Amino acid sequence: MRLFRMPIRPDRPARPGRTGAAVLGLGLLAGAALITAPTASSHGYTDTPISRQKLCANKTVSDCGPIQWEPQSAEGPKGFPALGPSDGTICAAGHPEFAQLDDPRGGSWPATSVSAGQGYSFRWQFTANHATTDIKYYVTKNGWDPSRPLTRSALDLQPFLTVAYNGARPAMTTVHQGAMPSGKTGRHVILAVWTVHDTPMAFYSCSDVQF
């Protein structure tokens, strides 16, 4: 095999300094691209019963901060209830910039009317689906205080509905058929937790309901 070589032109001497700078510049650009390039991620929220972040996105509720533009982004550490966002920051998944989701607003969040023990279609909207471990639904205890931010002590920590995926991906719009928990009356919060299978993260979505 013959290699073609460019002839050396004596009137255009090599300029090693410039070549080195060019190579260095390309290296820095490549490094910057690796640092700033967005990584693939999964995002989603519940819209039935309507979640607080969706109420903000719909402009049904005002004074919501940045969550109104990205209702799918309440993402925090997985492992709830043993791990995950700290008490009082659960609805915002631990994000201080989404703190409006944790504000109980005096118990005045718009609430979806539901019936205890009755069948219900829980719906998720995903903007980027992902391999999923499971999605679990929790509800507040009878006698909890709706004027305070959500804590673990306010929740029944045994989920009333668990949908296992075992690494499968949900559809972009996903409906889970289940039943509302029995024995509930008055105002409550339903916390839906979507655990991503292949990252250390989960998504948190709080929906206010009236039994």
Side-chain angles (χ1 to χ4, degrees):
M1 180 178 179
R2 296 182 60 190
L3 297 177
F4 178 79
R5 295 184 178 181
M6 290 292 293
I8 297 175
R9 295 179 56 182
D11 58 329
R12 297 184 63 180
R15 301 173 65 180
R18 182 173 181 178
T19 302
V23 171
L24 177 60
L26 288 173
L28 290 173
L29 286 173
L34 287 173
I35 292 171
T36 60
T39 57
S41 60
S42 52
H43 295 89
Y45 57 88
T46 53
D47 69 350
T48 308
I50 193 165
S51 59
R52 291 180 178 182
Q53 52 257 60
K54 184 58 176 175
L55 286 167
C56 288
N58 287 348
K59 305 297 190 290
T60 303
V61 174
S62 60
D63 189 25
C64 283
I67 196 67
Q68 65 187 298
W69 298 296
E70 46 179 325
Q72 71 279 5
S73 296
E75 180 184 22
K78 66 183 179 183
F80 190 86
L83 304 173
S86 61
D87 284 347
T89 72
I90 296 170
C91 293
H95 288 272
E97 68 272 28
F98 301 152
Q100 289 86 349
L101 297 178
D102 294 312
D103 182 357
R105 301 183 183 228
S108 64
W109 281 93
T112 301
S113 295
V114 298
S115 298
Q118 297 297 305
Y120 197 82
S121 298
F122 301 87
R123 187 171 67 186
W124 279 79
Q125 299 292 346
F126 298 103
T127 58
N129 59 355
H130 208 287
T132 297
T133 299
D134 55 36
I135 297 177
K136 294 181 177 180
Y137 297 84
Y138 303 83
V139 68
T140 45
K141 298 174 180 177
N142 287 333
W144 77 294
D145 186 351
S147 68
R148 298 179 64 84
L150 187 65
T151 63
R152 286 163 176 78
S153 63
L155 288 164
D156 290 330
L157 294 180
Q158 181 65 37
F160 67 87
L161 176 62
T162 298
V163 182
Y165 279 85
N166 302 311
R169 294 174 183 266
M172 297 300 284
T173 296
T174 291
V175 176
H176 299 141
Q177 299 296 338
M180 284 290 172
S182 300
K184 298 294 180 181
T185 59
R187 173 178 283 269
H188 284 271
V189 166
I190 290 176
L191 169 67
V193 181
W194 167 33
T195 299
V196 180
H197 192 67
D198 52 0
T199 78
M201 308 304 283
F203 286 80
Y204 296 80
S205 195
C206 287
S207 300
D208 295 84
V209 296
Q210 179 74 33
F211 285 93

